[in-house]
């Protein structure tokens, strides 16, 4: 009796240890542990088809700081990468035995994902546990957004942000490029956008108080920065090598003070604009009555399309107050002439026109959920942020939707329940790792509506994030929860995730040279 209890205990112990001995995030569909370990050495070589050489090189570069040597790509070797067309495009298998490692992917992209998994398994002594992993993502759109409008991040920093996405097997970089506080993309036809619109004369210090301007203090230092078209091509190419699509966002008709300061004739009042020096929602927006506005938008987008090959082009549409339109003769004339009921329908008119233009140029429109106000066509993709229910409604209506509700997906929100005590100044709303993980993109939808959910996204707004170290510490580790929901929605298990995350992520991030927040790892909630 006693022996059998001991045996049972030993077996349970072994099972629990084994169940946790290989940590992979996102949690793969299938994982079978083998016996023994493979060992990388300076002599290990990867054999890869020509189209897989670049992913192989990137992998070799990624693990070099961990193992201390650079493995080569050669004709013969013990690590092999191949495309297997019987697999789905994003599906892969990774088989590690003591003798070799074999990766099969439905496409080069899938092989890249397998290599990200392998990267998580390589120990500093070069060993990799024998294992068979199979995986494919639940969602097609697995995104991360960076707000380069409120604060400018250098080309190198943007590339590091892309590295972060790649490491988490995310495949979309949503790049927010224009704001009230700065226009960040060079447009050749409108040089003032960057000469004037990319620079604010100063920045508010600390938390902005919108209720009482006399309480705000400013730093007196001009702030600016923008991406040249050459920078943008470089970044788009860098992302593409990592199988990440860049979706640009030119936010309109609101959040346009960068453009209005540069070309005041595009606003309803036509004068008196400056690039904003503080945060909030500007009442000054593009005039939707003037034809010149649409000419400007189309000319800007024409250059955007040359730079970004993505099918989806994000045109913002969020937070557009209607005060100016209500008092603007041109906007009111447009409302009358087009038989619109009100200013919400004017916004709808604006978006329909831009969408029609994008369609004529072979692209599709994506916008924040406010673009549904006043009506939106079924072909538009809705990015639900104000509340998940907006996305749910849109999906029911037949629109395609990306779920990025702020309550789960705004990675600039606080990481502890006492941010005032523990964290730098920022939004005080608390978004724990658990709360990110809780995101259920299909919540309250019928199975036949699921196909309208393209995926999910984590967003990093940067009003209060002025430098890249801070940015990393907001995105990491919570980006890991975004990745797991995007890949492993159908097998989500927070307790299991928490164990894996605590064991895996600090080393993974450290090895990759990323800074990350410690709160989650120290159980500070
Ligand atoms: C947003 O957070 N204004 C999209
Ligand atoms: Zn107007």
């Amino acid at each position: 009796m006693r022996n059998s209890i001991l045996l049972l205990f030993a077996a349970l112990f072994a099972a629990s240890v084994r169940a946790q001995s290989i940590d992979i995030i996102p949690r793969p569909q299938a994982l079978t542990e083998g016996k023994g370990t493979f060992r990388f050495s300076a002599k290990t070589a990867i054999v890869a088809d020509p189209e897989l050489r670049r992913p192989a090189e990137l992998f070799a570069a990624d693990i070099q700081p961990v193992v201390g040597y650079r493995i080569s790509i050669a004709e013969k070797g013990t690590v092999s990468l191949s495309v297997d067309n019987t697999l789905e495009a994003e599906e892969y298998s990774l088989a590690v035995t003591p003798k070799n490692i074999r990766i099969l992917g439905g496409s080069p992209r899938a092989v890249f994902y397998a290599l990200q998994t392998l990267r998580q398994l390589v120990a500093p002594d070069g060993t990799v546990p024998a294992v068979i992993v199979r995986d494919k993502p639940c969602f097609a759109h697995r995104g991360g957004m960076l707000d380069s409008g409120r604060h400018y991040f250098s080309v190198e920093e943007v590339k590091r942000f892309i590295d972060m996405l790649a490491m988490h097997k995310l495949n979309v970089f949503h790049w927010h490029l224009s704001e009230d506080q700065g226009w960040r993309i060079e447009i050749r036809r409108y040089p003032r956008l960057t000469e004037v619109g990319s620079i604010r004369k100063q920045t508010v210090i600390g938390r902005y108080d919108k209720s009482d301007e006399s309480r705000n203090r400013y730093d007196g230092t001009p702030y600016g920065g923008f991406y040249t078209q050459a920078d943008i091509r470089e970044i788009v190419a860098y992302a593409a090598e990592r199988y990440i699509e860049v979706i640009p966002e030119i936010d309109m008709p609101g959040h346009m003070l960068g453009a209005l300061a540069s070309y005041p004739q595009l606003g309803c009042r036509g004068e008196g604009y400056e690039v904003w020096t503080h945060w909030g929602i500007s009442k000054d927006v593009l005039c939707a009555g003037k034809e010149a506005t649409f000419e400007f938008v189309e000319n800007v987008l024409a250059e955007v399309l040359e730079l970004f090959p993505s099918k989806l082009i994000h045109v913002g549409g969020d937070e557009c107050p209607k005060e100016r339109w209500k008092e603007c003769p041109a906007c009111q004339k447009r409302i009358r002439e087009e038989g619109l009921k009100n200013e919400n329908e004017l916004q709808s008119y604006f978006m329909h026109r831009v969408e029609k233009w994008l369609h004529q140029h072979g692209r599709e429109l994506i916008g924040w959920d406010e673009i549904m106000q006043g009506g939106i066509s079924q072909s538009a993709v809705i990015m639900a942020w104000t509340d998940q229910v907006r996305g749910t409604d849109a999906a029911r209506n037949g629109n395609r939707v990306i779920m990025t509700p702020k309550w789960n997906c705004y990675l600039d929100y606080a990481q502890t329940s006492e941010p005032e005590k523990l964290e730098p100044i920022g939004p005080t709303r608390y978004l724990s790792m658990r709360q990110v993980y809780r995101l259920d993109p299909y919540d309250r939808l019928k199975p036949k509506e699921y196909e309208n959910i393209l995926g999910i996204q984590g967003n990093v707004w940067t009003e209060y994030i002025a430098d890249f170290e801070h940015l990393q510490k907001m995105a990491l580790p919570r980006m890991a929860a975004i990745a797991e929901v995007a890949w492993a929605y159908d097998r989500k298990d927070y307790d299991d995730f928490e164990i894996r995350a605590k064991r895996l992520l600090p080393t993974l991030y450290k090895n990759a040279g990323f800074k990350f927040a410690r709160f989650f790892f120290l159980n500070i909630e």
Side-chain angles (χ1 to χ4, degrees):
M1 176 68 186
R2 192 154 165 195
N3 267 353
S4 57
I5 287 174
L6 268 180
L7 272 176
L8 180 66
F9 184 76
L12 282 174
F13 182 71
S16 69
V17 169
R18 283 178 62 81
Q20 293 178 8
S21 64
I22 292 184
D23 300 316
I24 296 171
I25 290 178
R27 184 185 199 178
Q29 251 190 353
L31 185 159
T32 314
E33 292 189 40
K35 285 209 172 65
T37 53
F38 176 90
R39 186 180 286 272
F40 278 99
S41 76
K43 290 198 204 114
T44 307
I46 304 182
V47 187
D49 299 341
E51 59 181 346
L52 301 176
R53 284 185 70 92
R54 190 63 188 138
E57 282 166 10
L58 293 174
F59 172 75
D62 285 339
I63 67 158
Q64 183 171 359
V66 181
V67 295
Y69 43 81
R70 181 72 161 233
I71 57 174
S72 55
I73 322 295
E75 293 297 311
K76 281 196 172 151
T78 48
V79 180
S80 73
L81 315 181
S82 334
V83 169
D84 175 349
N85 292 320
T86 66
L87 298 174
E88 289 176 31
E90 297 204 293
E91 183 180 18
Y92 71 83
S93 70
L94 160 69
V96 180
T97 71
K99 289 211 177 81
N100 56 42
I101 296 180
R102 182 154 175 68
I103 286 175
L104 297 174
S107 66
R109 165 192 299 278
V111 169
F112 181 79
Y113 297 143
L115 289 168
Q116 298 310 314
T117 297
L118 182 56
R119 184 178 173 189
Q120 298 185 1
L121 300 176
V122 182
D125 65 359
T127 57
V128 183
V131 70
I132 297 172
V133 177
R134 285 185 81 91
D135 205 9
K136 65 176 181 184
C138 286
F139 289 101
H141 179 112
R142 308 180 294 276
M145 190 215 75
L146 172 63
D147 166 14
S148 285
R150 274 54 176 262
H151 283 100
Y152 170 82
F153 298 89
S154 71
V155 171
E156 283 316 305
E157 289 165 344
V158 173
K159 287 182 178 173
R160 289 295 283 156
F161 187 77
I162 289 168
D163 287 344
M164 230 186 262
L165 301 176
M167 190 166 92
H168 291 86
K169 302 173 197 163
L170 301 180
N171 65 347
V172 177
F173 170 37
H174 169 179
W175 198 6
H176 187 80
L177 281 163
S178 64
E179 259 308 337
D180 292 320
Q181 294 82 9
W183 181 282
R184 305 276 174 238
I185 170 175
E186 177 192 17
I187 301 293
R188 289 187 310 264
R189 191 173 176 130
Y190 299 104
R192 286 176 62 81
L193 286 173
T194 40
E195 287 163 11
V196 175
S198 73
I199 301 164
R200 57 179 179 257
K201 66 174 191 243
Q202 57 184 351
T203 305
V204 67
I205 297 170
R207 192 181 304 287
Y208 174 62
D209 185 344
K210 71 175 177 196
S211 66
D212 181 1
E213 181 56 33
S214 73
R215 293 163 68 112
N216 292 312
R217 285 188 306 122
Y218 290 82
D219 65 7
T221 310
Y223 182 94
F226 67 90
Y227 306 97
T228 65
Q229 296 203 348
D231 291 340
I232 288 171
R233 287 183 205 281
E234 188 180 322
I235 285 168
V236 169
Y238 186 89
E241 278 196 325
R242 288 150 185 82
Y243 301 94
I244 290 175
E245 179 170 69
V246 187
I247 297 182
E249 179 185 353
I250 306 297
D251 201 346
M252 62 184 83
H255 289 281
M256 264 286 171
L257 272 177
L260 291 178
S262 313
Y263 297 98
Q265 66 271 28
L266 300 173
C268 293
R269 292 186 166 176
E271 60 182 10
Y273 308 115
E274 66 167 23
V275 183
W276 250 12
T277 54
H278 56 76
W279 323 125
I281 301 172
S282 164
K283 290 194 176 92
D284 287 307
V285 302
L286 288 179
C287 175
K290 296 175 184 167
E291 274 307 295
T293 300
F294 292 94
E295 210 176 286
F296 168 81
V297 164
E298 290 169 11
N299 288 333
V300 166
L301 288 177
E303 292 191 35
V304 168
L305 299 199
E306 281 175 28
L307 296 167
F308 296 93
S310 65
K311 188 84 177 168
L312 295 177
I313 300 293
H314 205 305
V315 293
D318 59 322
E319 298 176 328
C320 179
K322 307 296 188 294
E323 277 99 324
R324 296 292 183 260
W325 291 359
K326 284 194 172 123
E327 64 197 26
C328 169
C331 285
Q332 291 306 314
K333 180 160 176 273
R334 174 86 69 194
I335 288 177
R336 279 194 311 277
E337 287 183 356
E338 296 292 331
L340 307 172
K341 280 204 206 68
N342 53 33
E343 288 71 24
N344 277 346
E345 289 201 357
L346 183 56
Q347 163 135 345
S348 168
Y349 167 88
F350 186 103
M351 283 298 156
H352 272 108
R353 248 184 100 158
V354 174
E355 184 182 35
K356 190 166 160 211
W357 186 90
L358 283 172
H359 285 175
Q360 282 162 356
H361 293 79
R363 309 296 180 98
E364 294 182 34
L365 179 143
I366 175 168
W368 300 108
D369 56 54
E370 292 100 316
I371 66 171
M372 295 189 289
Q373 292 165 4
I376 189 74
S377 69
Q378 248 190 20
S379 48
V381 177
I382 308 298
M383 195 168 259
W385 75 278
T386 52
D387 196 282
Q388 181 163 341
V389 107
R390 301 272 183 96
T392 312
D393 288 345
R396 284 186 186 138
N397 184 47
N399 285 86
R400 289 163 298 161
V401 172
I402 292 157
M403 289 293 193
T404 181
K406 59 187 176 189
W407 317 118
N408 304 90
C409 296
Y410 272 30
L411 303 183
D412 53 315
Y413 283 5
Q415 310 192 53
T416 68
S417 53
E418 292 186 288
E420 306 284 359
K421 255 196 352 234
L422 298 168
E423 299 184 55
I425 287 177
T428 50
R429 195 174 298 278
Y430 173 33
L431 176 54
S432 64
M433 185 75 117
R434 186 187 290 273
Q435 182 62 15
V436 178
Y437 200 89
R438 232 175 236 143
L439 173 64
D440 176 354
Y442 292 152
D443 188 34
R444 285 181 280 178
L445 286 172
K446 296 197 177 76
K448 69 174 172 25
E449 292 155 343
Y450 291 175
E451 67 182 27
N452 289 336
I453 306 297
L454 298 183
I456 69 163
Q457 186 170 292
N459 296 338
V460 193
W461 298 100
T462 62
E463 285 93 335
Y464 293 102
I465 304 176
D467 67 74
F468 193 60
E469 177 168 337
H470 187 186
L471 178 78
Q472 294 170 75
K473 288 179 170 174
M474 298 312 287
L476 304 179
R478 289 179 293 183
M479 191 181 278
I482 295 283
E484 184 141 314
V485 178
W487 273 76
Y489 168 76
D490 58 355
R491 50 195 176 277
K492 263 191 337 160
D493 175 339
Y494 183 75
D495 294 338
D496 185 81
F497 170 77
E498 186 173 336
I499 293 167
R500 279 178 288 120
K502 286 188 171 158
R503 287 160 45 137
L504 173 72
L505 296 179
T507 316
L508 185 70
Y509 293 157
K510 206 153 112 275
N511 286 341
F514 287 123
K515 307 276 193 232
F516 57 95
R518 309 271 165 172
F519 304 114
F520 165 74
F521 302 105
L522 298 172
N523 300 318
I524 297 171
E525 297 186 346

